[in-house]
Amino acid sequence: MKTRSMRTKSDTRRPAGVLPLSHAMVFLLLNASIGLETPVLSLMLLARGATFATLPLVMGVTLVVTAVCEVPSGVAADALGRRRLFCWAMALQVVAHLVLLLPPGIAVVVVSSALRGLALAARTGTLEAIELDRVVADHGDARGRCAALDILNGRLALLESGGVGIGALAGGLLASLDASYALLICAVVGATACVLVGAAILFPRDVRHIGKRSSIAAALADMRATLAAPGDVRLVLVNSTSAGIVMLAVETYWQLAFQQLAGVGCEWILGPLNCAGMIAAALGSSAAMRWGASLSQALGRQGRRMLYGLVHAAAAICLLLFAFTTNVWLFAAVYLLYYVCIAARSVIEQTVLHNAVPSEERAGMASVQSLALRGGGALASATGGWVVAAFGVAGVWPLYAAASLALELVAFASDARAARTG
C-alpha cells in the first residue's frame, strides 16, 4: 500500500508520465490526419460536388448521422472493446475519403459525409477512455485525480492542436497544388491507415466493462440515472450544446468570411492561419491546465466550474466579434482568440465531466457529451441556410453568439437552482 501511495504522489509531481509516448504519437498522427482537411473542408466539398446552397445540408448529414449513432457506438465501445471500435472507425474513415475520389457529384459528397459521421461517432471516447481509466485508477485522492485529469486532458488537447496544426499546413499546401483535392484526399487516406495500424499494435487489449453487468439495457439504464441527477454531467451536456452552435458556425463559415475579406486567390493563407489557430489552442490548453488546478486549490470544486463558465462565455463572445472584423488582420486576431478560448473550455469541460462519471460508463457518456455537441451543431446547420439567405455570412456571428450565451445562462442558472433546492 505504501508503494502505491508513493507512486501516486510521484505521478502527481511528474505529469510527463500521465500519457505514454507511444500512445501520444498515435493521438498526434490521428489529429494530423484530421487537420489535413480542416482548413479547406468546405472548399473541398464544393470541389467534389456540393454547392453553396447544399453545403450546410451536407455538413448537416455528417452531424445527423453522428448524432443518431453516437450513444449506441459509445455503449458498443464499453461492450465490445474500445480499441476494436476505434479501428473500425478508422476503416470507415478511409472508405469515406475513397468515396470522394469518385467523379464529383452531390450523391458522392452526401455518401462520404454520412460515412464520415458514422466514423466520427464510432471514434468518440474510445482511445481517450482507455487513458482516462488508467489515470483515474492510479489516483484515488479526489484532488490528485482532478489534477491528473487536468494534465491528461491538457496533453490530449495539446496533441490535438499540434497534430491538427501540422496537418493544416500540409493540407493547405496540397490543396494549392491540386484544385480537385484528390492529392489531399489520398494523403488523408494514408495517414488514417497508419493510425489504424498504430492503435491496433500499441494500445492494450480491450476490457469489456459491460460484461460485469447483466445487459446493454442495464448499461443504458445506469446512464439514464446519471443523466437524471442534477450536477456536473447535466451542466456539461447543456454547455456542450451551446458550444456546438459556436463551433459549427466557425467551422462552416470562417473560410467563406475570410475569403470575402481577402479576395479570390487567398486559399494558400488558410492552411497557415488554421495552423496558427492550433498554436493558439495549444496556448489555451496549457493555460487551462494551470488555471484549473490553481482555482481548484484556492476555491475547491466551484473554482474549476467558475473557470469553465468564463471561458465558455468568452468563446461565444469571440463569435460575436467576428461581425465587427473589417479586414483580414482583425479577423485573424479574433480567430486566434477564439481558439484560445475554445481549447481552454474543452480541457476544463473534460475534467469536470470525467471526474463525475464512473469508469464503466466512460465511453458511453463521452458519446452522450459528443451527441450534445453535435446537437448544437445540427441546430446551427439546420438554420444556417436561412440565416445566410436573410442576413449574409455576417449575420451568422451575432445570432449564433446570442443563442450560445442564452443556453449557457440556462445551464448555470438551472444548476444553481438545483444546488439551492438540493
Side-chain angles (χ1 to χ4, degrees), residues 150 231-244 288 291-292 295 301-316 341-353 369 372-373 407-408 411-412 415:
D150 275 338
D232 287 346
V233 174
R234 275 173 44 177
L235 177 69
V236 164
L237 293 182
V238 178
N239 276 324
S240 292
T241 304
S242 171
W291 296 342
L295 284 175
R301 172 172 168 266
Q302 291 302 320
R304 184 175 275 102
R305 286 159 60 90
M306 180 179 70
L307 178 61
Y308 178 39
L310 289 174
V311 293
H312 186 95
C341 297
I342 207 71
R345 182 205 68 83
S346 179
V347 170
I348 302 301
E349 179 174 83
Q350 292 302 310
T351 297
V352 171
L353 175 65
Q369 186 263 333
L373 191 71
L407 272 176
E408 183 187 10
F412 278 95
D415 186 69

Side-chain angles (χ1 to χ4, degrees), residues 380-396:
S381 179
T383 58
W386 174 82
V387 171
V388 172
F391 304 102
V393 174
V396 167

Side-chain angles (χ1 to χ4, degrees), residues 78-414:
D78 289 330
L80 303 176
R82 292 158 182 173
R83 184 185 65 171
R84 177 179 302 177
L85 200 67
F86 177 83
C87 290
W88 279 109
M90 292 298 96
L92 283 169
Q93 188 79 346
V94 167
V95 174
H97 286 82
L98 289 176
V99 168
L100 280 179
L101 293 176
L102 296 173
I106 187 62
V108 167
V109 176
V110 168
V111 171
S112 175
S113 296
L115 290 172
R116 185 186 289 111
L118 187 58
L120 182 59
R123 189 184 77 212
T124 301
T126 47
L127 295 191
E128 294 86 352
I130 295 173
E131 304 299 337
L132 288 162
D133 276 351
R134 181 172 49 77
V135 166
V136 169
D138 288 346
H139 295 81
D141 173 69
R143 181 165 292 183
R145 182 171 63 251
C146 282
L149 286 172
D150 275 338
I151 293 167
L152 175 61
N153 289 318
R155 291 193 183 282
L156 291 175
L158 288 172
L159 289 168
E160 180 180 0
S161 302
V164 172
I166 293 169
L169 283 176
L173 176 61
L174 291 172
S176 67
L177 295 175
D178 177 20
S180 72
Y181 293 86
L183 188 59
L184 173 61
I185 293 167
C186 289
V188 174
V189 169
T192 304
C194 291
V195 172
L196 192 162
V197 173
I201 294 174
L202 297 173
F203 276 72
R205 285 181 172 271
D206 289 317
V207 176
R208 302 184 184 186
H209 292 277
I210 290 181
K212 302 174 184 178
R213 294 186 255 183
S214 59
S215 65
I216 292 180
L220 291 172
D222 288 347
M223 288 176 59
R224 283 196 297 270
T226 301
L227 294 171
D232 287 346
V233 174
R234 275 173 44 177
L235 177 69
V236 164
L237 293 182
V238 178
N239 276 324
S240 292
T241 304
S242 171
I245 295 173
V246 174
M247 294 170 70
L248 190 281
V250 175
E251 179 182 340
T252 303
Y253 298 108
W254 82 268
Q255 298 155 31
L256 301 177
F258 185 84
Q259 194 175 53
Q260 288 178 355
L261 290 172
V264 178
C266 69
E267 288 79 8
W268 68 273
I269 306 176
L270 297 177
L273 181 56
N274 191 233
C275 181
M278 295 305 100
I279 295 173
L283 294 175
S285 301
S286 298
M289 283 191 284
R290 296 192 298 270
W291 296 342
S294 298
L295 284 175
S296 181
Q297 287 185 355
L299 303 174
R301 172 172 168 266
Q302 291 302 320
R304 184 175 275 102
R305 286 159 60 90
M306 180 179 70
L307 178 61
Y308 178 39
L310 289 174
V311 293
H312 186 95
I317 291 171
C318 286
L319 195 64
L320 177 62
L321 293 177
F322 277 121
F324 300 97
T325 57
T326 56
N327 58 63
V328 293
W329 300 108
L330 281 175
F331 186 95
V334 174
Y335 182 76
L336 297 181
L337 181 60
Y338 160 78
Y339 267 107
V340 170
C341 297
I342 207 71
R345 182 205 68 83
S346 179
V347 170
I348 302 301
E349 179 174 83
Q350 292 302 310
T351 297
V352 171
L353 175 65
H354 289 290
N355 187 53
V357 172
S359 176
E360 61 271 16
E361 297 176 13
R362 197 170 306 285
M365 200 60 72
S367 292
V368 174
Q369 186 263 333
S370 182
L371 175 60
L373 191 71
R374 306 296 166 187
L379 176 63
S381 179
T383 58
W386 174 82
V387 171
V388 172
F391 304 102
V393 174
V396 167
W397 313 125
L399 289 175
Y400 287 155
S404 177
L405 289 169
L407 272 176
E408 183 187 10
L409 180 61
V410 168
F412 278 95
S414 176

